[in-house]
Amino acid sequence: MRLIGPGVIRQRDLAHRKVTRLGSAIRLEGINHWYGSGRTHVQALCDIALDIPAGGYVALTGPSGAGKSTLLSLVGGLERPQSGRLRVGDQDLARLDSDRLAAYRRTTVGFVFQHFGLLDLLSARENIELAESLSAIPAKLRRAHADELLSEVGLTDRAHHRPGELSGGERQRVAIARALVNDPGLILADEPTGNLDAGSAMRILDLLESVHVERGCTLVVVTHNEAVAQRADRRYRMEAGRVLP
Ligand code: ADP
């Protein structure tokens, strides 16, 4: 938690702790995942082996249907793989019970999606406060914390605006601020620039990269945009449920 006293919020000074908290790396070994059964069976992931270093910046590319989002949802603890090991630090997500998996999501992961996922009737600040209401942040500190996050993403002056009154890039900034509510060690971004023009896309990447560097978060970006992928430290290409060598 980044709150250190009533209304006082520590900024950008926990980078090394984040890396330690997340563990040494995210390690996938022999991961298989499928949907449906019988005639509806779809093998989404086949025998995946992949390492994502702690504090790393990784892009996953590949055509639609390659399994990128499925892989992200496993790493984010939204689903468990049907077989294989998925280790994050010293825990194997494939073997965590539902409560522990939920705790992992809550304490470790920040999700950013292509379509932002904001509630239209709430202001930017209220969208963040809603996420805070599901966190351990004390009620009396939530507004100040939301404002800190809005400041971190450069939207202090848009706190009262609803998503419909913001540009696509600004909406994604709010979504990134919301993803930071629990001070995650891992940011998973699924096509975060997919709905943005080229200029806004690069500015959103700048922001994600600054979060990655200044907070020490591991950053995984799914994209089919080569210019986006080129900015990552490591790139993995997926096809038909496999990570290419
Ligand atoms: P990508 O993100 O690369 O586009 P996905 O991970 O979304 O790929 O999908 C991989 C495969 O799994 C696709 O064939 C897709 O149709 C299938 N799939 C994904 N989610 C589901 C689901 N909930 N039910 C059935 N099939 C699914």
Side-chain angles (χ1 to χ4, degrees):
M1 190 60 58
R2 305 172 79 227
L3 305 177
I4 57 173
V8 182
I9 296 163
R10 203 168 357 146
Q11 288 277 359
R12 301 175 173 168
D13 57 350
L14 296 178
H16 300 299
R17 233 175 76 190
K18 303 276 170 12
V19 174
T20 308
R21 191 182 59 196
L22 187 58
S24 55
I26 301 169
R27 181 155 293 161
L28 292 82
E29 298 170 83
I31 292 287
N32 287 282
H33 196 68
W34 57 85
Y35 296 104
S37 61
R39 292 167 68 182
T40 63
H41 175 93
V42 175
Q43 184 80 27
L45 297 176
C46 310
D47 199 23
I48 300 280
L50 190 71
D51 272 349
I52 300 171
Y57 177 13
V58 168
L60 285 176
T61 67
S64 185
K68 305 181 297 297
S69 297
T70 301
L71 186 56
L72 215 61
S73 74
L74 298 185
V75 171
L78 293 170
E79 300 177 88
R80 283 190 209 86
Q82 271 102 352
S83 69
R85 290 172 169 224
L86 203 175
R87 280 186 284 190
V88 180
D90 55 4
Q91 18 186 27
D92 182 354
L93 301 192
R95 284 163 185 75
L96 291 187
D97 63 29
S98 299
D99 287 348
R100 288 188 178 183
L101 206 55
Y104 163 77
R105 286 195 301 271
R106 202 170 51 243
T107 58
T108 310
V109 189
F111 293 96
V112 178
F113 301 104
Q114 176 174 358
H115 297 289
F116 321 127
L118 302 174
L119 292 183
D120 291 340
L121 293 177
L122 301 184
S123 69
R125 181 199 269 154
E126 288 164 345
N127 265 283
I128 297 168
E129 287 179 317
L130 181 65
E132 289 174 328
S133 70
L134 305 172
S135 76
I137 298 170
K140 64 182 179 183
L141 298 181
R142 286 178 197 153
R143 175 148 299 188
H145 186 228
D147 287 343
E148 289 275 358
L149 292 173
L150 282 169
S151 160
E152 186 168 346
V153 300
L155 280 184
T156 296
D157 55 343
R158 310 305 292 271
H160 300 289
H161 290 238
R162 292 177 178 179
E165 299 161 341
L166 299 171
S167 70
E170 289 164 345
R171 287 181 216 181
Q172 195 59 299
R173 284 175 188 273
V174 177
I176 291 169
R178 182 190 52 193
L180 297 176
V181 156
N182 285 316
D183 195 17
L186 172 63
I187 304 277
L188 300 176
D190 196 346
E191 298 281 8
T193 61
N195 263 14
L196 306 178
D197 61 72
S200 302
M202 290 304 135
R203 287 191 290 279
I204 285 300
L205 270 192
D206 290 342
L207 176 60
L208 285 170
E209 287 169 10
S210 109
V211 165
H212 157 67
V213 169
E214 296 187 21
R215 288 173 170 254
C217 298
T218 302
L219 174 60
V220 182
V221 176
V222 161
T223 182
H224 59 261
N225 179 332
E226 269 308 310
V228 170
Q230 284 302 326
R231 293 178 51 157
D233 298 330
R234 281 193 195 192
R235 290 171 289 284
Y236 294 106
R237 182 166 174 81
M238 295 188 69
E239 279 180 22
R242 296 181 184 275
V243 176
L244 300 188

